[in-house]
Amino acid sequence: MNWSGDRTITLTSDVTVIADKFEIGGELSVVSGDGKEHSLRLIVPWTSESTTCPVTPAAGNINITAEVDVSSPASLLLYTPGAVKFPGNKDEKVSIRGQIYSCSMDSNRETNLEYVMVGAPGASTVPPTPTPTPTSTSTSTTYTLTEEYRKDM
């Protein structure tokens, strides 16, 4: 997917875009349109033959060649089994609130990342809470904790 020119993406819900690669030229701003937390997810999927980094055959990259600004309460997930690259003018800053998952990342300019759990489309971003299960004995009470397993992609 190729985007050119300056763009402001105003989110009023979560948006997921899946493509074989992303080439984004021009300034990219991601903001919330209603003051609530919303996420933009740009996802390049793994190929069916790939299981480890670096991916063979080569996967699509996410290249963003201009300034990036993702402001609270919006967030951005960049996911690729390839590389996330921020080439471009060293005076243009990258400021992302969210997550980057990739086999590699390359930036030749000032890059600020504020971690915010974004998670997979449709998945809850609230971490699971262990639930205590009481077991009574005649002299004491013990607890068995069960924990859900969740893997972010």
Side-chain angles (χ1 to χ4, degrees):
M1 172 172 277
N2 294 317
W3 295 347
S4 60
D6 295 350
R7 294 192 185 266
T8 297
I9 298 175
T10 303
L11 301 173
T12 55
S13 64
D14 292 345
V15 175
T16 300
V17 181
I18 300 172
D20 60 353
K21 69 178 181 176
F22 290 92
E23 299 285 339
I24 301 172
E27 184 175 319
L28 174 64
S29 296
V30 181
V31 298
S32 173
D34 59 9
K36 297 178 182 175
E37 289 199 15
H38 299 294
S39 299
L40 172 63
R41 297 175 184 91
L42 303 180
I43 297 175
V44 176
W46 281 77
T47 61
S48 60
E49 309 83 40
S50 302
T51 57
T52 62
C53 289
V55 174
T56 305
N61 294 327
I62 298 175
N63 293 311
I64 303 176
T65 59
E67 197 160 314
V68 179
D69 182 32
V70 181
S71 302
S72 180
S75 59
L76 175 66
L77 170 69
L78 301 176
Y79 178 91
T80 178
V84 171
K85 298 180 180 182
F86 299 106
N89 184 334
K90 291 186 182 206
D91 294 331
E92 295 175 325
K93 295 183 172 128
V94 175
S95 179
I96 293 178
R97 180 179 184 270
Q99 293 176 280
I100 297 175
Y101 284 94
S102 64
C103 285
S104 66
M105 184 180 131
D106 182 30
S107 180
N108 67 345
R109 48 199 168 124
E110 183 179 332
T111 303
N112 297 304
L113 302 172
E114 176 189 348
Y115 174 79
V116 174
M117 183 187 292
V118 177
S124 170
T125 56
V126 178
T129 303
T131 306
T133 306
T135 306
S136 294
T137 63
S138 60
T139 58
S140 65
T141 301
T142 59
Y143 290 89
T144 303
L145 296 180
T146 57
E147 183 174 328
E148 288 182 35
Y149 173 76
R150 190 182 74 176
K151 180 180 177 184
D152 289 335
M153 72 179 243

